[in-house]
Amino acid sequence: MTLHYETSGEGKPVVLLHGMAGSSRYWRPLEDLKPEGYRFIAIDLFGFGMSPKPHGITYNYQAHISAILETLRKAGVDGSFSLVGHSMGSLIALRLAAEHPSLINGLVLCSLPYYPNVTVARADITK
């Protein structure tokens, strides 16, 4: 399943993954800072922005990663890319990089959440 994405520029792909309650619009202020020779691809993760909100799937790392990779193929990314994640997007970015290291040219993680255990994570995320 493909996700909604916004793209700008031409050149080396930089994939941008937003945080909780965000969307691809989160990255728009970077437009003016984007150097020449780079293509930004900002993705709306499952359930956010204009991406599908499918029922009956597990919103786990594998579902997100599969959808991101399919979306990148649709966007014409056929090789490696740089990856930037913010908050929840950084967790997904980190897992994607760990599972597919040959695809990743560089990894930037912003505001990476930390949870010492699953119980604390669930309590914080569901509050």
Side-chain angles (χ1 to χ4, degrees):
M1 182 177 302
T2 60
L3 304 169
H4 172 79
Y5 64 95
E6 295 182 7
T7 185
S8 65
E10 295 181 22
K12 297 176 185 175
V14 178
V15 177
L16 307 168
L17 303 179
H18 63 81
M20 183 68 80
S23 71
S24 56
R25 295 181 339 181
Y26 174 81
W27 302 104
R28 286 184 183 164
L30 293 181
E31 270 302 300
D32 296 335
L33 303 174
K34 180 177 40 62
E36 285 191 37
Y38 289 89
R39 177 181 178 212
F40 282 1
I41 304 164
I43 295 176
D44 285 345
L45 296 169
F46 272 132
F48 296 95
M50 296 175 62
S51 279
K53 298 162 184 61
H55 299 291
I57 70 157
T58 304
Y59 286 76
N60 60 17
Y61 286 116
Q62 202 52 50
H64 283 289
I65 290 169
S66 294
I68 290 166
L69 294 177
E70 183 176 329
T71 301
L72 292 176
R73 283 189 293 276
K74 179 181 175 185
V77 177
D78 57 1
S80 60
F81 51 90
S82 296
L83 184 58
V84 179
H86 173 253
S87 188
M88 178 190 73
S90 65
L91 295 174
I92 296 168
L94 189 59
R95 180 64 67 95
L96 194 159
E99 291 183 8
H100 302 277
S102 64
L103 294 177
I104 308 303
N105 292 330
L107 179 63
V108 177
L109 305 173
C110 310
S111 299
L112 180 67
Y114 168 74
Y115 300 108
N117 59 54
V118 172
T119 303
V120 173
R122 284 190 181 132
D124 185 54
I125 292 169
T126 60
K127 69 179 173 183

